[in-house]
């Protein structure tokens, strides 16, 4: 086959195909599912968060141990470039109050349609229900609706996703094949996922209630935002960034009044409460919602009478947990193809001419635009380096 093979029809694979086609190289894109961009569409159902408009150094700080590896790619295709790219596809964008960038249409489907139309016009060949099964020498093997297929491209880009949301195509099944080929793969772990908390019957009427303006910390990590008391434990944007520490067994603590320091909380709790119940006193003194009060009672009853001791609990409430929810409930995964198995251009050291991109690489980041931006950036980087390799 003359040209390039891209395996995986998510954002990373589509961006790699875009880069290759832009370099004048024919591309065949193979996707295991019946349609492209399924996880991308699901992620955009409640509002497609493309990226976060903030200084590059702040943006990169969200990638933890993979920051240095991802830095050149995100520097080349970061928040500003993501915005320009989306608008170039006819999708105007706006920046929310927290700096998050959204398409005006909010959904992923108009952007995906415009992108696929552009790629089709550039000559992209698509194959769906083609599941990659490995290699036979230089040949790339697939199971397809019309039987086994063998493709021998000049270059290949793998964009096979992580190991969460298997029903949408990210099942991590590729890892065994790459390990057999001599590539180092770090074990998958759930990221951006809720945690298991075994609630007492006292919490039943609060299940589904939001915990707004709440802080959490675990190990060296902290976050602030909103969480939800679910039937299984706690989930939401204020919990997800703590996944690395919680996976490692770190204790979890909540700050129910993040706008006040401990001394201010104690001062408010020292006010005479008269004949008020404790719940009314907490509500009036600290504006604690019923859900926050329920969490306080669940984790620390009987509550101390002394304002100083109660203030310490309000600011540093220990929450016993049993670790993260299962991987297939996670928004994303940690682990994957290790960086020491890749060249600077994201080419497999053990398989020259084969490049990798997206969530299959060993990195993780919180939600808020960081996941999608890194998928696009690594896809572009892999596609550009694959194009140069092909041209050589």
């Amino acid at each position: 086959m003359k040209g390039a093979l891209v395996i995986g029809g998510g954002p990373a694979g589509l961006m790699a195909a875009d880069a290759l086609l832009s370099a004048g190289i024919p591309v065949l894109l193979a996707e295991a599912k019946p349609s492209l961009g399924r996880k991308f569409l699901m992620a955009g159902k409640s509002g497609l968060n493309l990226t976060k408009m903030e200084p590059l150094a702040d943006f990169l700080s969200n990638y933890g141990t993979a920051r240095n590896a991802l830095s050149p790619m995100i520097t080349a295709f970061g928040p500003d470039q993501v915005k320009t790219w989306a608008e170039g596809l006819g999708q105007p964008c706006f920046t929310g109050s927290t700096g998050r960038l959204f398409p005006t249409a909010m959904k992923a489907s108009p952007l995906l349609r415009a992108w696929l139309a552009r790629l089709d016009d550039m000559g992209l060949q698509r194959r769906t229900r083609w599941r990659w099964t490995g290699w036979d020498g230089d040949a790339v093997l697939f199971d397809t609706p019309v039987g086994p297929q063998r493709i021998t491209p000049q270059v290949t880009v793998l964009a096979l996703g992580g190991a969460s949301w298997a029903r949408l195509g990210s099942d991590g099944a590729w890892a065994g094949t790459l390990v057999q080929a001599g590539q180092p793969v770090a074990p998958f772990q759930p990221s951006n996922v809720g945690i298991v908390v075994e609630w007492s019957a006292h919490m039943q009427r609060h299940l589904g209630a939001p915990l707004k303006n709440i802080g959490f910390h675990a190990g060296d990590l902290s976050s602030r935002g909103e969480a939800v008391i679910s039937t299984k434990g706690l989930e939401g944007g204020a919990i997800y960034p703590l996944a690395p520490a919680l996976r490692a067994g770190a204790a979890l603590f909540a700050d129910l009044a993040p706008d006040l320091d401990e001394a201010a909380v104690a001062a408010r709790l020292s006010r005479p409460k008269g004949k008020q119940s404790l719940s009314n006193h907490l509500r009036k003194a600290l504006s604690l919602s019923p859900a926050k009060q329920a969490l306080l009672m669940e984790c620390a009853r009987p509550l101390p009478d002394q304002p100083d001791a109660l203030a310490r609990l309000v600011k540093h409430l220990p929450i016993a947990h049993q670790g993260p929810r299962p991987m297939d409930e996670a928004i994303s995964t940690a682990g994957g193809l290790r960086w020491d198995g890749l060249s600077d251009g994201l080419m497999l050291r053990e398989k020259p001419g084969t490049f990798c991109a997206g969530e299959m690489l060993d990195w993780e980041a919180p939600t808020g635009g960081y996941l999608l931006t890194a998928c696009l950036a690594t896809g572009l980087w892999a596609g550009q380096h694959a194009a140069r390799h092909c041209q050589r």
Side-chain angles (χ1 to χ4, degrees), residues 367-389:
T367 57
Y370 304 108
L371 293 168
L372 181 55
T373 298
C375 286
L376 295 171
T378 56
L380 179 64
W381 191 266
Q384 289 173 337
H385 283 79
R388 293 169 194 162
H389 187 89

Side-chain angles (χ1 to χ4, degrees), residues 11-378:
L14 292 174
M15 188 58 86
D18 201 326
L20 285 155
L21 290 166
S22 296
I25 296 169
V27 177
L28 172 66
L29 187 147
E31 163 60 44
K33 290 295 182 179
S35 59
L36 307 183
R38 292 164 85 91
K39 188 175 178 181
F40 180 62
L41 291 172
M42 179 63 74
K45 266 188 129 177
S46 58
L48 180 63
N49 183 191
L50 291 168
T51 191
K52 188 171 182 182
M53 306 305 293
E54 62 184 354
L56 188 60
D58 294 340
F59 194 89
L60 285 168
S61 69
N62 289 276
Y63 294 94
T65 57
R67 172 180 176 168
N68 289 340
L70 288 169
S71 179
M73 303 163 209
I74 293 175
T75 298
F77 197 83
D80 291 335
Q81 290 79 12
V82 170
K83 182 176 186 290
T84 300
W85 164 77
E87 291 177 341
L89 288 169
Q91 302 301 307
C93 300
F94 71 95
T95 303
S97 58
T98 61
R100 295 182 177 186
L101 184 77
F102 299 88
T104 302
M106 289 299 288
K107 298 180 181 178
S109 50
L111 179 60
L112 181 61
R113 282 196 300 269
W115 197 6
L116 291 177
R118 165 186 155 86
L119 295 173
D120 289 342
D121 288 344
M122 295 169 73
L124 178 67
Q125 296 183 60
R126 304 193 221 167
R127 301 289 185 271
T128 54
R129 296 188 174 91
W130 276 39
R131 176 168 286 278
W132 178 61
T133 58
W135 293 282
D136 180 11
D138 291 334
V140 186
L141 309 180
F142 293 92
D143 281 339
T144 80
V146 294
Q149 297 289 321
R150 296 169 60 93
I151 305 292
T152 309
Q154 292 174 278
V155 291
T156 300
V157 178
L158 302 178
L160 299 167
S164 65
W165 294 15
R167 68 190 185 280
L168 301 178
S170 297
D171 57 14
W174 52 266
T177 302
L178 288 185
V179 169
Q180 289 178 0
Q183 288 294 146
V185 176
F188 290 114
Q189 300 180 84
S191 184
N192 290 300
V193 67
I195 57 167
V196 178
V197 181
E198 295 178 354
W199 303 121
S200 70
H202 158 75
M203 293 294 284
Q204 288 301 308
R205 66 192 183 95
H206 298 283
L207 298 181
L211 294 162
K212 296 186 177 182
N213 189 26
I214 188 169
F216 291 101
H217 69 269
D220 295 331
L221 300 177
S222 61
S223 67
R224 178 174 170 176
E226 185 170 326
V228 175
I229 301 171
S230 73
T231 57
K232 300 172 182 177
L234 288 170
E235 57 187 70
I239 288 290
Y240 297 156
L242 308 181
L246 295 172
R247 284 197 309 263
L252 176 66
F253 298 90
D255 182 351
L256 305 181
D259 292 322
L260 301 172
D261 62 22
E262 188 173 317
V265 172
R268 292 189 181 200
L269 292 174
S270 298
R271 297 170 184 168
K273 70 174 185 176
K275 296 182 179 180
Q276 292 183 103
S277 65
L278 179 57
S279 61
N280 273 337
H281 185 50
L282 288 168
R283 177 178 60 81
K284 290 183 178 181
L286 300 175
S287 299
L288 291 193
S289 67
K292 285 185 177 181
Q293 292 187 44
L295 187 64
L296 180 63
M297 290 294 294
E298 175 74 5
C299 299
R301 66 173 179 255
L303 297 181
D305 293 326
Q306 299 82 4
D308 288 349
L310 184 54
R312 280 193 293 275
L313 285 174
V314 168
K315 293 294 292 181
H316 199 73
L317 179 67
I319 301 176
H321 67 92
Q322 289 74 49
R325 294 293 305 160
M327 191 144 52
D328 203 47
E329 295 181 22
I331 294 173
S332 61
T333 47
L337 187 59
R338 283 173 32 189
W339 296 98
D340 55 0
L342 296 162
S343 72
D344 291 342
L346 297 182
M347 184 172 71
L348 294 178
R349 297 192 186 279
E350 298 297 325
K351 198 77 177 175
T354 299
F355 298 77
C356 298
E359 285 193 71
M360 68 182 295
L361 306 178
D362 184 13
W363 60 273
E364 66 176 317
T367 57
Y370 304 108
L371 293 168
L372 181 55
T373 298
C375 286
L376 295 171
T378 56

